[in-house]
Amino acid sequence: MNGARFMEENISAIATAAGKGGVAIVRVSGKNPLALAAKMFRPVGNIKVEDFEPYKMYAGQIDGGTFTDFGLCVYFKAPKSYTGEDIVEFHCHGGVNIARGILKKTFSLGARSAEKGEFTRRAFLNGKLSLAAAEGIADMINAESDAEVRAGYNLYTKSLTDKVCLFQAELTTVLAKIDVTIDYPDEYEEDLGKETQEIKGLLEATAKKLEELALRYNTEKKIKSGVTVAICGKPNTGKSSLLNTLLGYEKAIVSSMAGTTRDAVEGTIEIDGRKFNLYDTAGVRESGDKIENIGIDRAEKIIRSADVAVFVADLTQGLSEEDSRVLNMLNGKPLIKVINKSDLLEGETDTDADALVSALTGAGVEKLKKLLFEKAYGTRENLHEAFLIEERHYNALIRAKEIIKRAILACENEPLEIVALSVKETWDVLGEITGETATETIIGEIFSKFCVGK
């Protein structure tokens, strides 16, 4: 689609979720949505739509084509609007047919249906948002935990964009220094080696910052995907009961018969606003049951890929070869050793377990949750506000880090012109995060993940 025409067309969509509700919002953005509103909104009092003050709500009748609704209309004047264009919103009653009727009326008056994420895309094209900030909005909308909302908001408020722009500014300084050295060779001929080493030092400082930022991803990505927790151990130690207690409802089948869990049963909880994906795995043991063995194979795969393992043992049974088999699978993985059925124990118990719990009474479960959080994220006091949760951003940082290392090596035995090429390439890769150098394919893929009204 031609860029100029794309920006001039009025686009329209329902901006609120589908279904019955108190209020629905139909949003129109483009070259002149106020003229459209004048043809379908009759304000109360002696005022014309064309004379509306921006950012002020007006009550009146909204023409829905085959019906009339009484609601509100507000005008947002460019560039102080979400998209950077003029916007009009109709706030109507929240019935499904009411919103659809008003939307159809806007179409009959020349607006076209907005594409997925097109309002936010226009905001990006009009310089209202960086590309990373737009992705932050999508993360907030799709968030499944409080921490993901916070991380999305931090991305939206340009926490990552500001850091990347700072790196780009440092690279721009290096490029300027290289240009001066190249343009005035006579002045720098005697000190060329010194100038090159100074350029190398600046690049090394930026490379270190890139690496430090990229390292955050390993922890922060868990905010979006959730921490994978494998509840493992031999059969009949109470793994399923523990899962149900953690979830707060009956998800797994509980039976005194060993081998009841044939496949992984999963559920999700939040601990301090962060998502944890719990998997109750089949008890690992030697079995002649073909179906149970399939479940055991799947359990082993989950255990090996989990972020944290909760090893459940029953102190009344003692440890066995099957327990040792499970522990050997963990291979240094963060581990919490749990003794279940603590309600059956009497007096002090000598054990190396991290937690004594009772799935029956709930005793020790809060301590277990605390341990899960600390194994995944460390102590709460050391947490920082997250924003590096998108794989796309991480991959760009890794590529930028590798290219800048190439520039650093080039400082040893290559002309500064070659160094400059790698520095400029690093700058461009970082621009994919902010959107300055992102391709249409990248931009299109990002905004395709939005809903139509956003």
Side-chain angles (χ1 to χ4, degrees):
M1 183 180 290
N2 180 275
R5 183 166 177 254
F6 179 85
M7 304 300 290
E8 287 190 359
E9 289 178 305
N10 282 332
I11 57 172
S12 182
I14 299 171
T16 43
K20 297 178 181 179
V23 176
I25 298 174
V26 178
R27 176 180 292 159
V28 186
S29 178
K31 187 176 181 179
N32 193 5
L34 198 61
L36 180 150
K39 297 175 182 177
M40 60 181 292
F41 187 76
R42 185 182 301 171
V44 173
N46 298 319
I47 186 170
K48 296 180 179 179
V49 172
E50 295 88 338
D51 297 327
F52 276 5
E53 294 179 37
Y55 324 112
K56 183 177 178 180
M57 303 290 285
Y58 291 89
Q61 294 179 340
I62 309 172
D63 182 0
T66 59
F67 62 85
T68 299
D69 186 29
F70 191 87
L72 300 167
C73 182
V74 59
Y75 166 51
F76 300 91
K77 185 175 177 58
K80 294 181 179 181
S81 70
Y82 179 72
T83 61
E85 306 169 333
D86 282 357
I87 292 178
V88 164
E89 287 182 355
F90 301 103
H91 293 229
C92 60
H93 288 95
V96 175
N97 288 327
I98 297 174
R100 286 178 180 172
I102 292 170
L103 179 64
K104 288 179 182 178
K105 183 65 177 180
T106 67
F107 294 159
S108 72
L109 295 174
R112 68 164 173 82
S113 178
E115 299 171 4
K116 284 186 175 182
E118 190 170 356
F119 290 100
T120 305
R121 182 170 184 153
R122 290 189 175 200
F124 164 67
L125 294 173
N126 285 321
K128 301 292 290 185
L129 295 170
S130 69
L131 197 56
E135 288 170 281
I137 292 174
D139 286 336
M140 291 177 68
I141 292 171
N142 297 315
E144 296 180 357
S145 68
D146 290 349
E148 197 174 345
V149 173
R150 291 195 299 270
Y153 181 76
N154 289 335
L155 195 54
Y156 167 58
T157 54
K158 301 188 177 181
S159 295
L160 179 61
T161 300
D162 289 345
K163 285 185 178 294
V164 171
C165 286
L166 180 60
F167 298 153
Q168 288 180 303
E170 292 173 356
L171 295 174
T172 300
T173 299
V174 170
L175 287 170
K177 195 170 185 62
I178 290 174
D179 286 343
V180 170
T181 306
I182 293 172
D183 290 344
Y184 300 96
D186 295 338
E187 294 185 26
Y188 291 98
E189 185 174 0
E190 294 183 3
D191 296 324
L192 183 58
K194 180 181 177 182
E195 290 295 318
T196 301
Q197 288 305 306
E198 187 176 337
I199 288 168
K200 181 182 177 184
L202 292 172
L203 291 174
E204 287 174 336
T206 301
K208 183 179 180 182
K209 294 174 187 176
L210 283 171
E211 187 166 6
E212 289 172 350
L213 181 57
L215 284 173
R216 296 178 60 159
Y217 180 70
N218 288 330
T219 298
E220 296 182 7
K221 69 178 179 180
K222 297 173 188 173
I223 290 174
K224 188 169 184 177
S225 61
V227 178
T228 301
V229 179
I231 303 175
C232 55
K234 68 182 181 182
N236 209 26
T237 55
K239 299 186 299 299
S240 297
S241 296
L242 182 58
L243 173 72
N244 291 340
T245 301
L246 285 166
L247 294 177
Y249 62 92
E250 298 294 318
K251 178 68 181 280
I253 298 172
V254 176
S255 170
S256 60
M257 182 182 297
T260 300
T261 302
R262 299 298 185 96
D263 201 354
V265 181
E266 62 182 287
T268 300
I269 62 171
E270 277 191 38
I271 303 175
D272 281 7
R274 302 198 175 204
K275 184 167 64 173
F276 286 74
N277 302 315
L278 310 179
Y279 290 84
D280 169 25
T281 61
V284 176
R285 65 171 180 170
E286 295 295 333
S287 174
D289 187 315
K290 184 177 180 180
I291 301 299
E292 185 180 355
N293 280 331
I294 294 172
I296 291 170
D297 288 341
R298 291 179 179 175
E300 291 182 1
K301 289 178 183 178
I302 292 171
I303 291 167
R304 290 192 172 96
S305 63
D307 298 309
V308 181
V310 175
F311 173 74
V312 183
D314 181 348
L315 195 62
T316 63
Q317 298 180 15
L319 296 181
S320 65
E321 289 185 10
E322 292 165 340
D323 291 315
S324 299
R325 180 181 171 186
V326 175
L327 290 170
N328 288 334
M329 289 179 202
L330 301 177
N331 195 25
K333 190 182 298 296
L335 170 67
I336 302 173
K337 293 181 181 179
V338 171
I339 297 297
N340 192 18
K341 305 182 183 180
S342 64
D343 54 292
L344 300 179
L345 303 176
E346 297 180 4
E348 295 292 327
T349 303
D350 184 16
T351 174
D352 65 347
D354 299 302
L356 290 173
V357 303
S358 170
L360 180 64
T361 66
V365 170
E366 288 305 314
K367 180 181 179 180
L368 175 56
K369 288 181 179 180
K370 180 180 178 182
L371 289 171
L372 279 170
F373 189 95
E374 291 176 354
K375 289 291 183 181
Y377 294 107
T379 62
R380 292 163 174 79
E381 291 74 19
N382 293 331
L383 288 178
H384 47 65
E385 287 299 316
F387 52 78
L388 189 59
I389 60 176
E390 293 289 340
E391 185 177 4
R392 185 183 80 84
H393 301 158
Y394 171 71
N395 289 337
L397 288 172
I398 293 299
R399 285 165 50 215
K401 186 182 72 170
E402 294 305 316
I403 297 167
I404 201 172
K405 283 182 178 179
R406 204 162 66 220
I408 292 168
L409 288 174
C411 289
E412 296 296 332
N413 49 27
E414 299 285 352
L416 286 177
E417 289 88 346
I418 301 300
V419 176
L421 288 175
S422 292
V423 174
K424 180 61 171 63
E425 188 179 353
T426 306
W427 194 101
D428 287 343
V429 170
L430 292 174
E432 292 177 11
I433 296 175
T434 62
E436 293 163 290
T437 57
T439 65
E440 272 297 316
T441 301
I442 292 173
I443 293 170
E445 182 179 344
I446 289 169
F447 288 108
S448 68
K449 298 175 183 177
F450 281 70
C451 58
V452 171
K454 195 66 177 178

